[in-house]
Amino acid sequence: MRNSIFSDFISLLFPRYCFSCKEQLYAGEECICLICKHSLPKTNYHSEAQNPVMIKLYGKAPIAFASSYLRFVKSGKTQRLLHQLKYHNQPEIGKVLGNWYGKDLDDTIQKHKIELIVPVPLHKKKLKRRGYNQSDGFAIGISEALNVEVNCTALKRVKESETQTKKSKLERWENVEDVFLVQNVDVIINKHIMVVDDVITTGSTLASCAIELLSKGAASVSIVTIAVAEYS
């Protein structure tokens, strides 16, 4: 009771606001209010074997399973949350979304027997500028929800690729060739790896990660992202 009163007092002095709608958060709400949580544009692709995310990866890499939590719509809730996550020093958004989606994914992950979660890495220069990898929190949130190990250093980005924005599909693929390297083969060998990222557009970056993991001994690779850009 005393802790609850103290928390309410702190909330009055230092109110917290939803990163989506900017309304004040109430006790028990984590960076996204309940109204916004329930109105997020969920894809529910994890319940569809041949979903649009899986289709994006056809012919690029052999993927066991692929899905995204949210639809990316310009100026919508997903874009606002991702903008806060990536550019406004709010990594906790990724962890919260990962935890929520991990609970939705439980049956699917049990079916596919995922053994390790690996976030797509940033190049060391970008990591230094931003201070964190936005995909790490998402991976950790999923890991906590599913009780599956996460390794944020299994993959390394060895080349600083250019931004994928405004590139053609072919240019995006060429831009991420030979960009990733497995740092410790023992961590990934003979395991089913879930690679996670913030957004999938054409799928070139994630396919490049999958190819590197499979070439170094991973048994299989699945893909999960916060959002899918369905116009690409």
Side-chain angles (χ1 to χ4, degrees), residues 57 63 65-67 114 116-121 135 138-139 142 155 180 188 192-198 205-211 213-214 218 220-226:
L57 295 158
I63 301 298
F65 161 79
S67 184
I114 301 294
L116 184 69
I117 301 170
V118 173
V120 173
S135 298
F138 186 58
I142 294 176
L155 274 176
F180 301 100
I188 61 99
H192 187 162
I193 313 294
M194 178 199 286
V195 178
V196 305
D197 203 4
D198 53 356
T205 298
L206 287 153
S208 182
C209 289
I211 289 169
L213 287 163
L214 292 167
S220 51
V221 174
S222 289
I223 301 296
V224 170
T225 68
I226 297 174

Side-chain angles (χ1 to χ4, degrees), residues 15-231:
R16 300 174 303 123
Y17 297 94
C18 174
F19 287 124
S20 177
C21 67
K22 306 302 182 185
E23 294 294 326
Q24 186 172 340
L25 293 172
Y26 292 97
E29 294 180 330
E30 299 180 90
C31 69
I32 301 168
C33 72
L34 287 175
I35 292 174
C36 286
K37 177 184 179 181
H38 291 298
S39 62
L40 288 173
K42 297 181 181 180
T43 68
N44 293 313
Y45 287 160
H46 57 280
S47 61
E48 304 173 32
Q50 304 304 318
N51 61 64
V53 180
M54 194 73 172
I55 291 169
K56 285 177 180 286
L57 295 158
Y58 283 167
K60 294 177 180 174
I63 301 298
F65 161 79
S67 184
S68 294
Y69 185 32
L70 306 173
R71 291 182 173 85
F72 184 98
V73 179
K74 190 172 182 181
S75 300
K77 282 186 170 66
T78 303
Q79 185 182 41
R80 290 197 294 273
L81 289 172
L82 288 174
H83 193 78
Q84 292 288 327
L85 169 63
K86 294 176 70 173
Y87 305 116
H88 289 276
N89 194 30
Q90 304 297 341
E92 68 269 29
I93 293 173
K95 186 175 179 181
V96 168
L97 293 176
N99 195 268
W100 289 348
Y101 197 34
K103 292 171 183 175
D104 289 349
L105 285 171
D106 189 30
D107 290 341
T108 302
I109 298 310
Q110 294 298 330
K111 174 183 175 182
H112 288 279
K113 298 180 180 178
I114 301 294
E115 298 169 275
L116 184 69
I117 301 170
V118 173
V120 173
L122 294 179
H123 188 270
K124 60 182 180 181
K125 290 182 180 178
K126 182 174 284 187
L127 183 61
K128 185 176 181 180
R129 288 196 299 269
R130 185 169 294 166
Y132 60 94
N133 179 0
Q134 70 274 6
S135 298
D136 284 358
F138 186 58
I140 292 167
I142 294 176
S143 171
E144 291 178 354
L146 296 174
N147 195 29
V148 175
E149 181 184 357
V150 62
N151 190 308
C152 296
T153 60
L155 274 176
K156 181 179 181 180
R157 190 183 288 255
V158 293
K159 291 197 298 187
E160 188 176 19
S161 53
E162 299 173 8
T163 178
Q164 299 282 61
T165 306
K166 297 183 180 179
K167 289 186 180 293
S168 68
K169 290 183 179 181
L170 176 60
E171 288 171 335
R172 287 178 186 231
W173 180 251
E174 292 173 340
N175 192 42
V176 293
E177 280 190 298
D178 304 318
V179 165
F180 301 100
L181 178 69
V182 170
Q183 296 200 92
N184 186 344
V185 172
D186 292 339
V187 170
I188 61 99
I189 197 162
N190 295 325
K191 291 182 180 177
H192 187 162
I193 313 294
M194 178 199 286
V195 178
V196 305
D197 203 4
D198 53 356
V199 182
I200 181 170
T201 49
T202 64
S204 299
T205 298
L206 287 153
S208 182
C209 289
I211 289 169
E212 170 62 12
L213 287 163
L214 292 167
S215 72
K216 296 298 170 60
S220 51
V221 174
S222 289
I223 301 296
V224 170
T225 68
I226 297 174
V228 54
E230 297 183 324
Y231 52 82

